[in-house]
Amino acid sequence: MSKNLNIIEVAVALPVHGSYSYFVPDNLAAMIAPGKRIIVPFGRRRVTGYVLGALGETNDLNLKKILDVLDDHPLFPAAMVPFFKWISDYYMYPMGQVIKNALPVGLTTVEQDVLAITQQGCRFLEQGIMTVTEESILKALKIESLSIKILEKKIRQPIPTAITFAMLDRGWICRKKKLRGGQTQAKKEKFITLGHKKTDKEKVSATRRKIIDTLKTASDISLRDLKKIVPTAPRIVPAMAAAGQVRIHQKQVYRDPFGEPVQRTTAPVLTDEQKKIVSRIQDDVGKTFAPYLLVGVTGSGKTEIYIRLAQETIDKGLSVIILVPEIALISQMERRFRSRFGDQIAILHSGLSPGERYDQWLRLASGEIHIAIGARSAIFAPVENIGLIVVDEEHDASYKQDSTLRYNARDLAIVRAKQHKAVALLGSATPSIQSYHNTLTNKYTQVSLTKRIMERRLPDITIVDLSGMRDQRGYRRYFSEELLMGLEKTMQRNEQAILFLNRRGFSSLPMCSACGKPLQCKNCDISLTYHQQSNAYRCHYCGFSAAGNSSCPSCGAADIRHLGFGTEKIQTIVQDLYPDKNIARMDRDTIVHKGSMLKILKGLNDGTIDVLIGTQMVAKGHDFPNITLVGVLCADLSLSFPDFRAGEQTFQLLAQVSGRAGRGDRPGRVILQTYNPDHFSILCAKHQDVHRFYDQEITFRKALNYPPFSRMVQIILSGRDITQVQEHARSLGIACEALLENSKDYAKAIVMMGPIEAPYAKIAARYRWQILFKGQNAPLIHRYIRELMHQNPKLMNHRDVKTTIDIDPVFMM
DNA sequence: AGCACGCCGACT
DNA sequence: GTCGGCGTGCTC
């Protein structure tokens, strides 16, 4: 930044709207650049700020000065500032918070007033002449200095200010400033080089000679690597450094998130279909904003297209971002990319430690590498000159972040591609209605892969009507004759099967046999689920758990019956049927540890697992050649969700899980059990008929004016007091209506639904109400919401009732 | 967010 | 009369 521009625009990492101007003192001017973190005085605290850019020159010394520059290299390129501004504006989220969300965790510090114990306080604590409250305060502060708010939480009682002041007066405690957060740092290691002293003629010990010889071949080696050659190096090297034989210096290294090395492979020959698509899209790379929707049946080779286009983009000197919906799929994508690009890629996802993530981030931000692969947050990858953004499995709901900054990475991919004049490539076998509709209106270009590679056939799908099985006993309640037969044949042939059930746990509906009431979570209006492994009932939303021998909370009867079924129960049934086979289960319960999912996928890959039972996780684009049977135990479970996307999600889920079958040489078979054999989502999934499904679903959406024919905004109100939340929702509802009727534009174009209790009326001990807005004119709705926020600051910013605004909501429960 | 300022009820 | 409750407003 040039020297005479001494005012900069800064976003602070606090929930305040707008940006702030600061003065740059001469001594820091050389270090200032957009994308760097700085420390600024804000109010009477010091907080992390992000440099957005230069504003001009001033002699006005009323501006506050920045205090420090935290980064050597910018954490994001200046070109991302407009992207952050767009997000802040569209999602109505403070700029500084947007950036904080985008950056790897642990980089933002905020200073806070805390109380600390004094030496005198320690002495008094030992003597113990004080009240119970004073004693618990001192005990808590002895462990760590805390803010009053956290202190009150720790000792589980409010602290009257009189007590705080009295303790300060007596000198037992004092006020201090403490930095919170900001623990993540670059990792540095000791590196060894030859020293200034010529050692060739000198007499040195054999170990020292070995070290010197090693350094001659590899001039710069880390102490860790040197240790592998000379195990005693850590002890000897400092002495050698003192003698001038070697030199030790600190160097930044990157933590290695990669597991085992991947062998390089050469590119396979493309099919004609693939070739056509690649050559069509690659012409646009580096030239213009071009959004594509790649519709490719499962197993048709979409990944190879991504790889070819990435290569093309890199060759043109531009960067690539690849978004993949979840961690397990990232490692699959990562292997494919690493086999072709080596370590020229960065991986970004939540499974990495903060340090690893930060390192990957820096490799991108420093311009060292140009390919980022990751989950939804990778849309914030700090790369410049983007040529290609790929969104794989673009229909996947996990691209929508469902807390804090509620962005949709798929939508942001389009926005960012547009800003960079880049190609956006959305790929899926079962695209979202939204994207499919965009191809019909020519916003996106559709390209299709209609054939599986190697001419493999799509699996045969059989539908079995479950309604005849209600009176069956034992496992025959859940397994039809067809499914049992199919499983038997598959096991006989030593092939693999997947059983899919969209529900975890052992029994989905524990019910009191005396009064008939279901066992429900104390915090959420959700049935508890029995988990055999831990012998406990658990809530899938807040994690509440009750002992497995609990009696009925309403009538006290001890006899709890288990109705319904979940993945865990299916696992025991199948294990009983096939005691010699290896039956694995994949759901959120078995995938708690980092790597446990990869282990299951590995087992599936090398054939040690015969049957895999799982929830929707198994439906996602994994690629296993040996699976010849896919059984869907109950296709209806997702149809009954109170959400207008239930049909779309059911179709996608069924088509995806069916696509897991027959990806190798042998043809696959799918058996789909359902209570609604005539439902069109299920029929279309049976025929893998994407186009028919979308035609019908789009008609339905249009008739009811649902997205993509309208845009939605949801306001969620939540709080601990049920009546307070309810009353607050009512008053906000009145304010919303008043504003609607205030303007003819609003009244004509916006439909307001609610306020009503949310479908999940209680989550994690917070009661929830919602108001939903729907309308065709997105900018108008946004203007309306902004005006609403502006006019009702008290309603939107309340102490006990939290207001959340969700733009383009996906999970409306 | 978090901190200061400022206006009303229950105590010395 | 004052102490301390919390609603309100501001932070370059």
Side-chain angles (χ1 to χ4, degrees):
Chain A
M1 207 166 283
S2 104
K3 198 185 154 214
N4 51 5
L5 296 176
N6 55 13
I7 322 173
I8 52 169
E9 188 186 11
V10 175
V12 291
L14 290 175
V16 288
H17 282 276
S19 55
Y20 293 81
S21 311
Y22 281 88
F23 179 80
V24 183
D26 284 348
N27 63 323
L28 293 175
M31 292 177 62
I32 283 289
K36 285 191 183 182
R37 287 173 303 152
I38 55 177
I39 297 289
V40 291
F42 194 73
R44 56 191 297 282
R45 294 183 290 166
R46 286 177 290 183
V47 300
T48 303
Y50 308 104
V51 182
L52 301 180
L55 281 178
E57 201 198 333
T58 186
N59 298 314
D60 171 14
L61 295 179
N62 287 328
L63 284 181
K64 287 194 182 175
K65 285 180 198 158
I66 67 165
L67 300 171
D68 201 2
V69 179
L70 296 178
D71 297 301
D72 296 339
H73 299 287
L75 290 177
F76 55 86
M80 282 184 81
V81 172
F83 184 53
F84 291 138
K85 284 203 167 133
W86 189 95
I87 294 169
S88 170
D89 191 50
Y90 186 81
Y91 291 108
M92 301 178 200
Y93 209 75
M95 183 73 170
Q97 301 286 93
V98 168
I99 298 176
K100 189 186 169 190
N101 262 279
L103 297 181
V105 291
L107 294 179
T108 304
T109 59
V110 171
E111 200 178 58
Q112 204 181 21
D113 279 352
V114 291
L115 298 175
I117 190 166
T118 59
Q119 283 192 346
Q120 200 181 355
C122 288
R123 280 201 300 278
F124 272 93
L125 184 59
E126 277 161 28
Q127 291 161 12
I129 333 163
M130 56 185 67
T131 65
V132 186
T133 314
E134 287 168 346
E135 190 181 344
S136 46
I137 291 173
L138 288 181
K139 273 187 177 161
L141 291 181
K142 199 162 182 198
I143 301 165
E144 147 185 51
S145 308
L146 297 165
S147 72
I148 292 180
K149 229 176 170 179
I150 296 173
L151 187 61
E152 286 179 330
K153 240 188 208 166
K154 274 257 161 79
I155 67 168
R156 295 160 164 276
Q157 56 169 299
I159 303 165
T161 28
I163 293 186
T164 322
F165 275 105
M167 293 176 77
L168 281 165
D169 269 358
R170 275 173 273 167
W172 293 358
I173 57 175
C174 62
R175 286 183 195 279
K176 268 191 186 170
K177 298 254 188 211
K178 188 166 132 185
L179 288 180
R180 218 178 50 199
Q183 301 302 307
T184 309
Q185 284 179 358
K187 185 180 175 187
K188 295 197 170 159
E189 256 182 42
K190 281 184 180 155
F191 274 73
I192 320 295
T193 52
L194 282 176
H196 54 84
K197 216 166 161 188
K198 293 271 174 281
T199 47
D200 291 347
K201 285 159 203 152
E202 232 176 279
K203 238 182 155 178
V204 293
S205 73
T207 341
R208 288 193 181 200
R209 174 63 61 202
K210 196 169 176 194
I211 290 175
I212 290 163
D213 288 345
T214 313
L215 290 176
K216 271 182 188 159
T217 48
S219 60
D220 192 18
I221 188 167
S222 75
L223 187 57
R224 208 152 53 105
D225 289 338
L226 189 62
K227 212 170 112 188
K228 285 177 199 153
I229 304 163
V230 184
T232 53
R235 210 130 35 99
I236 295 168
V237 162
M240 291 176 75
Q245 295 163 335
V246 299
R247 250 184 40 223
I248 305 175
H249 58 276
Q250 297 276 327
K251 197 163 137 182
Q252 187 183 331
V253 295
Y254 297 117
R255 302 161 184 91
D256 181 20
F258 303 124
E260 60 217 78
V262 178
Q263 287 214 320
R264 286 259 183 178
T265 55
T266 48
V269 178
L270 294 183
T271 65
D272 287 347
E273 270 188 340
Q274 285 175 320
K275 240 183 253 167
K276 256 186 221 153
I277 292 173
V278 168
S279 69
R280 160 146 202 198
I281 297 177
Q282 73 184 10
D283 287 343
D284 286 336
V285 172
K287 273 192 203 138
T288 165
F289 167 61
Y292 285 93
L293 178 66
L294 169 59
V295 184
V297 294
T298 50
S300 58
K302 292 188 286 291
T303 306
E304 189 56 37
I305 291 182
Y306 306 153
I307 293 176
R308 292 298 174 101
L309 290 172
Q311 185 69 62
E312 176 72 20
T313 310
I314 296 296
D315 290 347
K316 286 181 176 163
L318 303 170
S319 358
V320 180
I321 297 176
I322 313 274
L323 301 186
V324 187
E326 61 162 282
I327 298 179
L329 292 176
I330 293 171
S331 50
Q332 198 168 297
M333 187 70 74
E334 177 196 332
R335 286 185 80 81
R336 293 283 296 276
F337 269 75
R338 287 185 70 212
S339 74
R340 302 275 271 287
F341 296 98
D343 55 6
Q344 290 308 297
I345 55 177
I347 305 294
L348 298 167
H349 61 71
S350 56
L352 304 180
S353 73
E356 288 170 339
R357 216 163 158 184
Y358 174 62
D359 290 350
Q360 296 288 307
W361 188 272
L362 277 191
R363 290 179 77 203
L364 291 166
S366 65
E368 183 190 325
I369 48 177
H370 302 99
I371 303 177
I373 298 178
R376 68 173 167 252
S377 65
I379 192 56
F380 299 115
V383 287
E384 243 164 324
N385 305 322
I386 297 172
L388 173 69
I389 303 180
V390 171
V391 185
D392 189 31
E393 310 289 351
E394 67 88 29
H395 63 277
D396 200 296
S398 55
Y399 283 121
K400 170 79 176 180
Q401 173 140 67
D402 201 26
S403 60
T404 57
L405 169 58
R406 294 170 169 255
Y407 66 95
N408 189 323
R410 186 235 297 152
D411 299 343
L412 290 186
I414 299 291
V415 173
R416 210 172 167 194
K418 207 176 204 168
Q419 290 184 350
H420 282 256
K421 293 192 169 39
V423 168
L425 176 58
L426 314 184
S428 176
T430 54
S432 61
I433 293 278
Q434 176 81 56
S435 300
Y436 189 85
H437 184 251
N438 281 339
T439 66
L440 297 182
T441 55
N442 291 322
K443 273 190 179 165
Y444 300 171
T445 308
Q446 189 178 143
V447 287
S448 312
L449 286 168
T450 55
K451 296 184 196 111
R452 281 187 154 186
I453 48 171
M454 327 281 271
E455 309 275 310
R456 278 174 200 139
R457 279 184 26 223
L458 280 169
D460 288 326
I461 301 182
T462 313
I463 292 182
V464 179
D465 188 352
L466 276 176
S467 48
M469 285 162 55
R470 284 208 175 98
D471 302 326
Q472 294 280 352
R473 307 221 128 248
Y475 64 85
R476 287 181 187 276
R477 251 182 110 109
Y478 317 115
F479 286 84
S480 62
E481 203 54 46
E482 289 89 336
L483 186 52
L484 287 172
M485 286 283 292
L487 194 57
E488 175 63 24
K489 277 185 195 152
T490 310
M491 292 299 100
Q492 271 174 14
R493 287 196 299 255
N494 277 322
E495 293 168 358
Q496 290 173 312
I498 283 182
L499 297 179
F500 168 75
L501 180 65
N502 202 6
R503 185 168 280 180
R504 292 187 291 153
F506 192 74
S507 146
S508 59
L509 200 57
M511 192 182 263
C512 171
S513 63
C515 70
K517 288 208 176 109
L519 225 58
Q520 284 205 319
C521 173
K522 258 194 346 200
N523 306 320
C524 318
D525 275 343
I526 300 291
S527 297
L528 293 175
T529 300
Y530 182 67
H531 289 253
Q532 195 183 40
Q533 260 169 22
S534 47
N535 185 30
Y537 294 102
R538 276 226 299 266
C539 168
H540 283 188
Y541 287 86
C542 70
F544 167 82
S545 90
N549 58 5
S550 301
S551 48
C552 173
S554 32
C555 76
D559 187 14
I560 305 288
R561 290 263 173 80
H562 293 172
L563 302 177
F565 56 125
T567 44
E568 204 175 331
K569 176 153 194 171
I570 297 300
Q571 186 184 20
T572 56
I573 291 173
V574 178
Q575 191 72 73
D576 284 349
L577 288 172
Y578 297 100
D580 303 334
K581 297 285 187 181
N582 188 3
I583 318 294
R585 180 161 59 92
M586 179 155 89
D587 53 35
R588 231 188 306 161
D589 294 323
T590 59
I591 307 295
V592 278
H593 311 289
K594 178 180 171 183
S596 49
M597 181 162 197
L598 295 178
K599 214 167 133 191
I600 293 176
L601 297 177
K602 199 161 174 281
L604 214 49
N605 202 33
D606 56 28
T608 51
I609 291 174
D610 301 298
V611 182
L612 177 67
I613 294 153
T615 54
Q616 26 196 321
M617 269 176 216
V618 303
K620 302 198 173 179
H622 308 295
D623 189 3
F624 299 109
N626 250 328
I627 292 162
T628 53
L629 176 71
V630 168
V632 178
L633 286 145
C634 184
D636 313 82
L637 287 176
S638 61
L639 274 181
S640 57
F641 289 155
D643 188 318
F644 73 89
R645 288 192 181 85
E648 178 183 352
Q649 271 157 18
T650 303
F651 170 76
Q652 286 162 346
L653 209 52
L654 295 178
Q656 289 283 342
V657 75
S658 303
R660 297 313 114 215
R663 293 176 78 97
D665 308 330
R666 282 159 291 194
R669 176 151 190 239
V670 177
I671 295 167
L672 209 158
Q673 305 188 128
T674 172
Y675 288 105
N676 299 289
D678 300 323
H679 192 282
F680 83 96
S681 294
I682 290 174
L683 285 177
C684 292
K686 172 182 158 74
H687 297 109
Q688 296 257 326
D689 193 343
V690 175
H691 301 285
R692 189 170 140 219
F693 175 76
Y694 288 112
D695 289 345
Q696 190 153 346
E697 182 71 13
I698 281 176
T699 315
F700 156 74
R701 297 279 178 94
K702 193 168 187 177
L704 293 174
N705 200 22
Y706 279 127
F709 298 96
S710 65
R711 301 295 282 274
M712 287 185 162
V713 174
Q714 184 173 232
I715 299 180
I716 304 151
L717 301 162
S718 70
R720 292 182 186 280
D721 185 318
I722 185 166
T723 43
Q724 205 182 9
V725 174
Q726 193 172 332
E727 275 163 24
H728 195 89
R730 297 240 159 86
S731 355
L732 184 59
I734 290 165
C736 292
E737 244 163 80
L739 183 58
L740 270 185
E741 279 155 21
N742 211 352
S743 138
K744 265 187 190 158
D745 287 351
Y746 291 152
K748 256 196 309 202
I750 300 174
V751 180
M752 171 177 158
M753 292 171 277
I756 50 159
E757 203 172 44
Y760 293 130
K762 197 181 176 192
I763 292 179
R766 294 181 75 88
Y767 293 90
R768 295 153 50 86
W769 277 62
Q770 64 180 36
I771 306 173
L772 199 58
F773 299 93
K774 191 167 80 166
Q776 302 203 350
N777 184 341
L780 189 79
I781 299 185
H782 283 217
R783 209 175 75 209
Y784 168 79
I785 297 288
R786 218 167 271 127
E787 206 170 318
L788 187 70
M789 287 169 78
H790 202 73
Q791 287 186 4
N792 304 279
K794 278 169 228 160
L795 283 171
M796 307 299 281
N797 209 346
H798 191 268
R799 195 163 50 91
D800 300 324
V801 182
K802 197 175 138 195
T803 308
T804 308
I805 291 175
D806 191 346
I807 310 283
D808 309 328
V810 171
F811 323 93
M812 293 192 291
M813 312 214 231

